[in-house]
Amino acid sequence: MTLRDTLALAWGSLAHQPRRTLLIALAMSIGVGAVVVLTALGEGARRYVLEQFASLGTNLLIVLPGRAETSGMAPGVLTGQTTRALTLADADAVMRLRGVARAAPLNVGVARVSRGGLSREVVLLGSTADMLEIRHMRLGQGRYLPPGPSNQATPVCVLGERIRAELFGAGNALGEWVRIGDRRFRVVGILASQGQQMGFNTDETVAIPVAAAQQLFNTESLFRILVEARGRAAVPEVRASVLELLKTRHEGEADVTVITQDAVLATFDRILTALTLAVAGIAAISLGVAGVLIMNVMLVSVAQRRSEIGLLKALGAPAASVRRLFLAEAGLISLLGAAGGLILGLAASFALGRIYPALPIIPPLWAVAAAVATALVAGMLFAWLPARRAAKLDAALALARR
Amino acid sequence: MIELDRLSRTFQVGDQHVHALREVSLSIAAGEFVSIMGPSGSGKSTLLNLLGLLDRPDSGTYRLDGADVTDLGDAETARVRREKIGFVFQFFHLVPRLTAAGNVALPMLLAGVAPAERKARVAQLLADVGLSERADHLPSQLSGGQLQRVAIARAMSMSPALLLADEPTGNLDRATGREVLALLEDLNQRGMTLIVVTHDQEIGARAGRRIVMEDGRVVEDGA
Ligand SMILES: Nc1ncnc2c1ncn2[C@@H]1O[C@H](COP(=O)(O)OP(=O)(O)O)[C@@H](O)[C@H]1O
Ligand SMILES: [Mg+2]
């Protein structure tokens, strides 16, 4: 019997019992659909997080004072005065290292900004001109912090869009003066509105030269040094040379920590991929359930069609053809179910994407392929027993009974 | 054409052995019309099933066209059934979801005959049994006599040398039964070996050779 005739005959018997066929296919569809939607969600979450990190720059290294005892933990809690502070001179030295594209010192604090009768608390960033590029920020108007030696406390500032709006409203801000703490700064630039970036809203910050910030906060030390390597490949080398340089500068004591964006990224990637796989696995269980359903229904079908099977054998069908016929039925149902499941899953993913526009909810190709393959394999596997039973049927006995 | 040498078949029912056939030896030449009669349970169907390779004997040998077919494997027996043997049953055994034409085409489908050739032969076969206009009817839309004629057309679709019929008129009224028998006799006249199990004395009498069975044995064999 040719494959085409086998499929046609199998299809005929499925079409003869449309309700039964559709019900099993539906069970299969739900399984496939679940795998597609859940992996789409998992993958969406993964991509969302990766994109957030990527927006910070994957070539980024962050140098912070203090030594992290366990790798991977954010050692922010260790930034007391117990260890040697990072200094502006350290930052300048780092900038001259091979493989470093840019480096910017960073001081962060909270300060009151006022203009006329208006005032509010802001997150004040003290840094240098390179900060704009390193953090991938965009300027709305004017310039960013002026280039030049980092120890120059020029009284200029760059406002976040929200701060500008609150202090100046519809009026002009560029070139105007604002008061930060007890000093006056001239507004030289406004950041373009970018919203939230890894929980840090640049719209609500004000940037001033790092030297000015140190005077304002009355400190010699830095909060961080942000370093951008010349490429992703250069990151490990830069990390090593930064550590070595600062060790020499700190009298042989390795008392700084360098976090690379890559390491954090890889960890998140691993966790989220594992999560997606786990969720897909759980969803795949429903495919197993659909498989059991197929087996059950096929066993009943074999019992009901005993005389038809006996007849096929009498007409010259070998056991193998009978087996293939039943496997073809299971395969066609599974295919139907897989197709339905894909439609279901893609539609649900699309709907979810509409509800959560921030998440890039696209089912990964591997998951779609795996769901369809699992459906087909589960269908055929669970149909094996009924198909074998049909193939082994005693033709004489099957034909003797009406 | 057929040579049976001490063929026995025993069924186990519970802890009892039922001897359905006891050392039956028979020889049937090509082109014969043989009727097999006898009381219910005498082993007629068992013998026919063995002849049709739907069942295997416990002992004895069966030679068909000179070849020993007693112990062929599944694929081989299927091939012999497909190419040499046609079946007609008391309960017709048509596939209910297939049309008359679909049922007739079934053996050719199993044999892998190409669709175009299949179609032409189905038309011819249905014409031979006088059912050309019923080609697209489902079994549920046909009368008993028509169903058995479709079954005969199906049995003939691979042009077998041997036709086995187990009470082909058992479910038909007398008039339709005669029509069906006439059809079978016609096929026999054209050279096909015909073996019919029947309870009908009239059919038995028309066969060229009458075999009577009792309790698993052939007790009468003659013209
Ligand atoms: N599959 C079977 N299992 C058990 N006993 C069987 C089976 N087939 C036939 N028999 C027994 O074998 C004997 C002969 O049966 P059968 O050949 O069907 O007789 P007939 O066709 O002449 O009425 C009967 O006693 C029947 O009960
Ligand atoms: Mg019988």
Side-chain angles (χ1 to χ4, degrees):
Chain A
M1 188 156 49
T2 63
L3 180 65
R4 232 187 86 183
D5 286 336
T6 304
L7 289 175
L9 208 57
W11 179 251
S13 97
L14 292 181
H16 190 64
Q17 285 175 296
R19 195 175 349 171
R20 194 197 69 169
T21 303
L22 284 180
L23 275 177
I24 309 177
L26 183 66
M28 216 76 187
S29 297
I30 291 169
V32 171
V35 172
V36 170
V37 170
L38 291 176
T39 52
L41 265 178
E43 181 72 3
R46 190 180 73 89
R47 285 208 206 172
Y48 176 73
V49 170
L50 295 195
E51 272 169 27
Q52 288 291 308
F53 272 99
S55 71
L56 291 182
T58 43
N59 302 344
L60 189 65
L61 296 94
I62 301 169
V63 185
L64 46 151
R67 200 163 154 191
E69 295 305 331
T70 48
S71 65
M73 263 304 298
V77 283
L78 298 177
T79 54
Q81 292 303 319
T82 48
T83 48
R84 201 180 311 268
L86 283 171
T87 63
L88 264 183
D90 287 340
D92 288 338
V94 165
M95 205 173 314
R96 288 189 293 269
L97 280 175
R98 228 166 60 94
V100 171
R102 300 182 183 83
L106 179 63
N107 264 337
V108 179
V110 176
R112 179 155 289 275
V113 177
S114 53
R115 180 211 162 227
L118 298 168
S119 88
R120 67 160 288 175
E121 296 263 302
V122 297
V123 175
L124 194 65
L125 306 178
S127 193
T128 56
D130 279 343
M131 191 61 169
L132 185 73
E133 281 290 314
I134 291 177
R135 283 296 310 271
H136 296 256
M137 292 182 289
R138 278 178 291 113
L139 266 180
Q141 308 170 36
R143 297 171 288 114
Y144 196 65
L145 297 175
S150 57
N151 57 6
Q152 218 158 22
T154 322
V156 295
C157 68
V158 178
L159 303 183
E161 169 57 27
R162 180 97 172 263
I163 306 298
R164 181 207 61 77
E166 281 179 23
L167 294 183
F168 293 93
N172 173 52
L174 271 189
E176 298 294 322
W177 291 83
V178 295
R179 179 170 286 279
I180 301 175
D182 56 356
R183 289 156 190 258
R184 291 183 359 118
F185 291 81
R186 186 192 283 274
V187 178
V188 293
I190 316 289
L191 288 177
S193 180
Q194 294 186 106
Q196 210 78 11
Q197 221 188 20
M198 286 306 284
F200 191 62
N201 195 338
T202 53
D203 292 358
E204 297 189 21
T205 59
V206 172
I208 58 174
V210 64
Q214 287 188 329
Q215 288 170 12
L216 213 63
F217 298 142
N218 189 25
T219 177
E220 292 280 287
S221 60
L222 291 173
F223 176 61
R224 297 279 190 274
I225 303 173
L226 303 189
V227 184
E228 189 185 312
R230 286 200 188 282
R232 209 165 167 170
V235 169
E237 178 204 320
V238 169
R239 180 174 192 272
S241 51
V242 166
L243 282 172
E244 196 189 291
L245 171 81
L246 292 180
K247 188 174 171 185
T248 338
R249 288 182 58 88
H250 293 185
E251 280 111 38
E253 249 185 278
D255 58 358
V256 301
T257 301
V258 178
I259 313 175
T260 62
Q261 204 64 34
D262 250 14
V264 182
L265 204 73
T267 307
F268 266 99
D269 198 2
R270 264 203 309 281
I271 293 172
L272 291 168
T273 302
L275 211 66
T276 304
L277 279 175
V279 163
I282 291 166
I285 291 174
S286 61
L287 283 176
V289 173
V292 172
L293 188 68
I294 285 196
M295 175 155 78
N296 198 25
V297 170
M298 296 273 290
L299 282 174
V300 172
S301 165
V302 168
Q304 282 172 345
R305 286 155 66 189
R306 282 171 59 90
S307 78
E308 180 187 329
I309 297 163
L311 173 77
L312 287 176
K313 291 190 148 193
L315 297 182
S321 293
V322 175
R323 189 167 51 231
R324 269 203 298 275
L325 196 60
F326 278 84
L327 287 179
E329 284 189 23
L332 285 174
I333 289 189
S334 305
L335 210 62
L336 211 65
L342 280 188
I343 294 172
L344 216 67
L346 292 176
S349 303
F350 180 77
L352 279 173
R354 279 297 177 87
I355 299 170
Y356 304 106
L359 284 183
I361 300 181
I362 300 160
L365 205 61
W366 64 261
V368 171
V372 171
T374 313
L376 285 178
V377 169
M380 307 278 262
L381 211 65
F382 282 100
W384 193 262
L385 182 75
R388 215 176 65 132
R389 189 169 287 188
K392 277 190 166 176
L393 201 70
D394 181 340
L397 214 57
L399 286 167
R401 285 203 291 176
R402 264 224 71 175
Chain B
M1 174 184 207
I2 293 173
E3 275 170 73
L4 304 184
D5 184 24
R6 282 167 292 159
L7 224 53
S8 293
R9 179 70 168 103
T10 311
F11 293 105
Q12 180 132 24
V13 182
D15 48 4
Q16 267 199 319
H17 291 278
V18 179
H19 296 276
L21 281 187
R22 302 171 195 260
E23 305 217 317
V24 170
S25 295
L26 263 184
S27 154
I28 296 171
E32 276 195 87
F33 174 8
V34 181
S35 70
I36 302 176
M37 301 185 73
S40 187
S42 56
K44 306 180 297 291
S45 295
T46 303
L47 177 59
L48 212 64
N49 285 339
L50 287 175
L51 288 175
L53 294 176
L54 290 177
D55 196 6
R56 280 166 197 271
D58 299 309
S59 64
T61 53
Y62 172 14
R63 296 176 77 79
L64 180 63
D65 283 337
D68 188 345
V69 293
T70 324
D71 286 315
L72 291 181
D74 175 74
E76 274 302 296
T77 31
R79 197 178 57 77
V80 173
R81 280 202 295 265
R82 208 155 56 219
E83 292 173 356
K84 296 193 173 170
I85 304 169
F87 288 94
V88 174
F89 310 95
Q90 179 179 0
F91 296 109
F92 323 124
H93 282 301
L94 298 184
V95 179
R97 62 170 190 278
L98 296 180
T99 61
N103 270 287
V104 172
L106 212 45
M108 293 187 272
L109 208 88
L110 296 172
V113 175
E117 190 187 343
R118 224 150 65 196
K119 215 173 157 196
R121 267 161 71 180
V122 165
Q124 181 60 49
L125 287 158
L126 282 173
D128 286 349
V129 297
L131 285 177
S132 292
E133 302 91 68
R134 298 281 187 271
D136 294 326
H137 288 216
L138 289 171
S140 57
Q141 301 165 318
L142 297 173
S143 71
Q146 290 171 332
L147 290 174
Q148 200 59 303
R149 271 145 66 192
V150 172
I152 291 170
R154 178 179 66 190
M156 299 314 298
S157 64
M158 292 296 291
S159 321
L162 173 63
L163 186 69
L164 304 173
D166 196 347
E167 307 197 27
T169 61
N171 252 17
L172 303 174
D173 61 58
R174 191 156 283 276
T176 351
R178 282 206 187 107
E179 280 172 35
V180 165
L181 184 70
L183 205 54
L184 292 175
E185 282 180 322
D186 184 45
L187 292 167
N188 172 245
Q189 237 114 68
R190 287 193 246 156
M192 192 181 58
T193 312
L194 178 62
I195 303 177
V196 181
V197 167
T198 183
H199 281 301
D200 189 329
Q201 292 295 334
E202 190 184 326
I203 295 175
R206 288 173 74 154
R209 178 175 169 191
R210 284 180 290 279
I211 289 175
V212 180
M213 293 189 67
E214 238 169 65
D215 195 23
R217 288 192 183 89
V218 174
V219 293
E220 249 184 78
D221 185 352

Short mmCIF file of all heavy atoms in Angstrom, two decimals, chain B residues 191-212:
data_model
loop_
_atom_site.label_atom_id
_atom_site.label_comp_id
_atom_site.label_asym_id
_atom_site.label_seq_id
_atom_site.Cartn_x
_atom_site.Cartn_y
_atom_site.Cartn_z
N GLY B 191 -13.43 -20.19 -15.49
CA GLY B 191 -12.17 -20.83 -15.11
C GLY B 191 -11.75 -20.66 -13.68
O GLY B 191 -10.74 -21.21 -13.24
N MET B 192 -12.51 -19.90 -12.90
CA MET B 192 -12.08 -19.68 -11.53
C MET B 192 -12.52 -20.83 -10.63
O MET B 192 -13.63 -21.33 -10.74
CB MET B 192 -12.67 -18.38 -11.01
CG MET B 192 -12.06 -17.95 -9.72
SD MET B 192 -12.80 -16.44 -9.18
CE MET B 192 -14.47 -16.99 -9.09
N THR B 193 -11.64 -21.26 -9.77
CA THR B 193 -11.96 -22.30 -8.80
C THR B 193 -12.89 -21.72 -7.75
O THR B 193 -12.61 -20.65 -7.20
CB THR B 193 -10.69 -22.82 -8.12
OG1 THR B 193 -9.71 -23.09 -9.13
CG2 THR B 193 -10.97 -24.06 -7.32
N LEU B 194 -14.01 -22.40 -7.48
CA LEU B 194 -15.01 -21.85 -6.58
C LEU B 194 -15.31 -22.85 -5.46
O LEU B 194 -15.63 -24.01 -5.73
CB LEU B 194 -16.29 -21.55 -7.38
CG LEU B 194 -17.50 -21.03 -6.62
CD1 LEU B 194 -17.21 -19.69 -5.96
CD2 LEU B 194 -18.70 -20.90 -7.57
N ILE B 195 -15.17 -22.42 -4.22
CA ILE B 195 -15.49 -23.27 -3.09
C ILE B 195 -16.51 -22.54 -2.23
O ILE B 195 -16.25 -21.44 -1.74
CB ILE B 195 -14.24 -23.61 -2.25
CG1 ILE B 195 -13.19 -24.30 -3.14
CG2 ILE B 195 -14.61 -24.50 -1.07
CD1 ILE B 195 -11.88 -24.60 -2.44
N VAL B 196 -17.71 -23.16 -2.11
CA VAL B 196 -18.80 -22.48 -1.41
C VAL B 196 -19.26 -23.32 -0.22
O VAL B 196 -19.61 -24.49 -0.38
CB VAL B 196 -20.01 -22.25 -2.36
CG1 VAL B 196 -21.12 -21.53 -1.62
CG2 VAL B 196 -19.58 -21.46 -3.58
N VAL B 197 -19.24 -22.73 0.96
CA VAL B 197 -19.84 -23.36 2.13
C VAL B 197 -21.29 -22.93 2.15
O VAL B 197 -21.60 -21.75 2.00
CB VAL B 197 -19.15 -22.90 3.42
CG1 VAL B 197 -19.97 -23.30 4.64
CG2 VAL B 197 -17.74 -23.47 3.51
N THR B 198 -22.21 -23.90 2.28
CA THR B 198 -23.63 -23.52 2.25
C THR B 198 -24.50 -24.49 3.03
O THR B 198 -24.13 -25.64 3.27
CB THR B 198 -24.12 -23.42 0.80
OG1 THR B 198 -25.48 -22.97 0.78
CG2 THR B 198 -24.04 -24.75 0.09
N HIS B 199 -25.64 -23.97 3.45
CA HIS B 199 -26.66 -24.82 4.06
C HIS B 199 -27.75 -25.14 3.05
O HIS B 199 -28.63 -25.94 3.31
CB HIS B 199 -27.31 -24.09 5.26
CG HIS B 199 -26.48 -24.14 6.49
ND1 HIS B 199 -26.12 -25.33 7.09
CD2 HIS B 199 -25.94 -23.17 7.26
CE1 HIS B 199 -25.39 -25.07 8.16
NE2 HIS B 199 -25.26 -23.75 8.28
N ASP B 200 -27.68 -24.45 1.93
CA ASP B 200 -28.74 -24.52 0.92
C ASP B 200 -28.56 -25.76 0.04
O ASP B 200 -27.61 -25.85 -0.74
CB ASP B 200 -28.68 -23.24 0.08
CG ASP B 200 -29.89 -23.11 -0.84
OD1 ASP B 200 -30.42 -24.17 -1.27
OD2 ASP B 200 -30.28 -21.97 -1.13
N GLN B 201 -29.52 -26.70 0.13
CA GLN B 201 -29.43 -27.95 -0.64
C GLN B 201 -29.35 -27.67 -2.14
O GLN B 201 -28.62 -28.34 -2.86
CB GLN B 201 -30.66 -28.83 -0.36
CG GLN B 201 -30.72 -29.39 1.05
CD GLN B 201 -29.58 -30.35 1.34
OE1 GLN B 201 -29.03 -30.98 0.44
NE2 GLN B 201 -29.19 -30.46 2.61
N GLU B 202 -30.11 -26.66 -2.57
CA GLU B 202 -30.17 -26.35 -4.00
C GLU B 202 -28.80 -25.94 -4.53
O GLU B 202 -28.36 -26.42 -5.57
CB GLU B 202 -31.18 -25.22 -4.19
CG GLU B 202 -31.50 -24.97 -5.65
CD GLU B 202 -32.43 -23.78 -5.80
OE1 GLU B 202 -33.28 -23.57 -4.90
OE2 GLU B 202 -32.29 -23.04 -6.80
N ILE B 203 -28.11 -25.09 -3.76
CA ILE B 203 -26.77 -24.67 -4.17
C ILE B 203 -25.83 -25.86 -4.16
O ILE B 203 -25.07 -26.09 -5.10
CB ILE B 203 -26.23 -23.57 -3.23
CG1 ILE B 203 -27.10 -22.31 -3.35
CG2 ILE B 203 -24.77 -23.25 -3.56
CD1 ILE B 203 -26.71 -21.23 -2.40
N GLY B 204 -25.95 -26.63 -3.07
CA GLY B 204 -25.09 -27.81 -2.95
C GLY B 204 -25.24 -28.72 -4.14
O GLY B 204 -24.26 -29.23 -4.70
N ALA B 205 -26.48 -28.85 -4.58
CA ALA B 205 -26.75 -29.77 -5.69
C ALA B 205 -26.17 -29.26 -7.00
O ALA B 205 -25.79 -30.04 -7.87
CB ALA B 205 -28.26 -29.96 -5.83
N ARG B 206 -26.07 -27.96 -7.14
CA ARG B 206 -25.58 -27.42 -8.40
C ARG B 206 -24.06 -27.47 -8.54
O ARG B 206 -23.54 -27.30 -9.65
CB ARG B 206 -26.05 -25.96 -8.55
CG ARG B 206 -27.55 -25.92 -8.83
CD ARG B 206 -28.05 -24.52 -8.80
NE ARG B 206 -27.62 -23.78 -10.00
CZ ARG B 206 -28.30 -22.75 -10.46
NH1 ARG B 206 -29.41 -22.37 -9.87
NH2 ARG B 206 -27.88 -22.10 -11.52
N ALA B 207 -23.38 -27.69 -7.44
CA ALA B 207 -21.93 -27.74 -7.49
C ALA B 207 -21.47 -29.01 -8.21
O ALA B 207 -22.13 -30.04 -8.16
CB ALA B 207 -21.35 -27.72 -6.09
N GLY B 208 -20.36 -28.92 -8.89
CA GLY B 208 -19.83 -30.05 -9.61
C GLY B 208 -19.36 -31.14 -8.65
O GLY B 208 -19.34 -32.32 -8.97
N ARG B 209 -18.98 -30.70 -7.45
CA ARG B 209 -18.49 -31.65 -6.47
C ARG B 209 -19.02 -31.26 -5.10
O ARG B 209 -18.97 -30.09 -4.73
CB ARG B 209 -16.96 -31.59 -6.48
CG ARG B 209 -16.29 -32.49 -5.47
CD ARG B 209 -14.79 -32.40 -5.69
NE ARG B 209 -14.05 -33.03 -4.60
CZ ARG B 209 -12.75 -32.90 -4.45
NH1 ARG B 209 -12.05 -32.17 -5.31
NH2 ARG B 209 -12.14 -33.51 -3.45
N ARG B 210 -19.58 -32.26 -4.41
CA ARG B 210 -20.18 -31.97 -3.11
C ARG B 210 -19.39 -32.65 -2.00
O ARG B 210 -19.14 -33.86 -2.06
CB ARG B 210 -21.63 -32.45 -3.08
CG ARG B 210 -22.57 -31.56 -3.84
CD ARG B 210 -23.98 -32.07 -3.77
NE ARG B 210 -24.16 -33.31 -4.56
CZ ARG B 210 -24.33 -33.35 -5.87
NH1 ARG B 210 -24.36 -32.23 -6.57
NH2 ARG B 210 -24.49 -34.50 -6.50
N ILE B 211 -18.99 -31.84 -1.03
CA ILE B 211 -18.28 -32.38 0.13
C ILE B 211 -19.19 -32.20 1.34
O ILE B 211 -19.75 -31.12 1.54
CB ILE B 211 -16.94 -31.65 0.35
CG1 ILE B 211 -15.96 -32.03 -0.76
CG2 ILE B 211 -16.35 -31.98 1.72
CD1 ILE B 211 -14.65 -31.28 -0.73
N VAL B 212 -19.37 -33.25 2.11
CA VAL B 212 -20.17 -33.15 3.33
C VAL B 212 -19.25 -33.39 4.52
O VAL B 212 -18.44 -34.33 4.52
CB VAL B 212 -21.33 -34.16 3.34
CG1 VAL B 212 -22.14 -34.01 4.63
CG2 VAL B 212 -22.22 -33.94 2.12
#
